[in-house]
Amino acid sequence: DAARACEWVRGAVRWREESGASSLRRGLLRGGKVLDETEVLKLLTLCPMLLSHRTGGKGGPLTLIHVGGFDASRWYATQSAAQFEAAGLMLLEAALANCDRASVEAGRLVRREILLDYDGLALSHVAPRVLLRQRPLLTLPDRWYPELVGRVACVNAPSLFAAVYRVVHPWLSDELRARIEVHAPATSAAAVES
C-alpha cells in the first residue's frame, strides 16, 4: 500500500545517510572507483571475485565469486567487521550504480546476477563466527536494495552447502530466496551456461 511504501522510502533515505551509502553513491557518480577503496581491495585479495564481469543470462551485470577460494582465517586476522561491512557497502553501491545505468540504457529494470562457485567449500568457510560476521551484509539486499539482486546461481555446491543454507535461509526474504538456484557439481556446467 502507498502508506507503507512512503514509510519504507523515508526509512531508506534515513538509512542511506546514516550508513554512508549516499556519500558512496555521490562519490561514484563523481567518477570515484570501487578499486580506490582500500577495504574493497583487501576483500578482493581474500575472496576471489570478478565484479560486473560481463552480462549474465538475464541481461544483468554478472558478478562471479569463488566462495571456495575465500581465505576466512586471513580475513578474520586482517579485516574487522566494520571494514568488511564498509567494503560490502561500496560493492553494493557500485552494483546498484551499474544496474541503474544498464536499466536506463535498456529502458527496463536490470538486476545484478551473481554466480557463487562453492568448489573447495570447507568448514573454515562456514564456521559460526564467519557466518555471523557476514550476516549484516547478507541481509542488506533484502532490506535496502530489494530490486538489486536478480538471479543468484550457487554452483558446485557440495553436501556441506546444505548445512550452510539452513543457517542463512531464515535471514533472507521469500522474494530473495526465490531468486536463488542451487546446483550440485554434476549440474553446475549447465547452470553456468544459462
Side-chain angles (χ1 to χ4, degrees):
D1 75 43
R4 252 182 47 197
C6 287
E7 183 57 34
W8 183 87
V9 169
R10 281 192 292 276
V13 168
R14 199 170 32 256
W15 173 82
R16 291 185 60 73
E17 284 303 320
E18 291 169 1
S19 69
S22 291
S23 176
L24 292 173
R25 182 61 176 258
R26 284 190 296 273
L28 290 167
L29 292 174
R30 286 191 305 262
K33 305 289 183 213
V34 174
L35 298 181
D36 290 343
E37 296 296 321
T38 303
E39 293 308 322
V40 170
L41 288 173
K42 188 184 297 180
L43 183 58
L44 292 175
T45 66
L46 300 168
C47 185
M49 65 179 84
L50 295 171
L51 309 169
S52 299
H53 172 61
R54 60 182 178 124
T55 301
K58 297 190 184 284
L62 176 66
T63 294
L64 308 171
I65 303 174
H66 182 209
V67 178
F70 174 54
D71 190 339
S73 297
R74 225 172 97 223
W75 174 58
Y76 238 88
T78 62
Q79 193 169 47
S80 71
Q83 291 168 327
F84 171 66
E85 288 177 33
L89 189 58
M90 173 54 102
L91 293 173
L92 285 168
E93 282 300 313
L96 185 61
N98 287 339
C99 287
D100 286 349
R101 278 191 292 278
S103 295
V104 168
E105 290 171 10
R108 64 173 178 80
L109 178 63
V110 173
R111 291 178 168 171
R112 179 181 186 197
E113 298 180 45
I114 304 169
L115 182 95
L116 300 170
D117 183 358
Y118 285 90
D119 184 46
L121 185 69
L123 290 174
S124 63
H125 299 120
V126 299
R129 72 181 190 149
V130 171
L131 294 177
L132 289 173
R133 183 182 273 191
Q134 293 174 347
R135 182 180 182 173
L137 191 59
L138 291 174
T139 59
L140 283 180
D142 259 340
R143 179 105 172 129
W144 303 118
Y145 299 86
E147 298 300 328
L148 174 61
V149 178
R151 174 182 181 229
V152 178
C154 303
V155 299
N156 296 314
S159 55
L160 177 59
F161 178 83
V164 175
Y165 196 64
R166 275 194 301 277
V167 172
V168 173
H169 182 270
W171 301 346
L172 309 174
S173 68
D174 291 340
E175 293 82 11
L176 186 55
R177 285 194 303 258
R179 299 175 197 163
I180 298 173
E181 307 167 5
V182 179
H183 302 275
T187 61
S188 289
V192 170
E193 292 173 11
S194 65

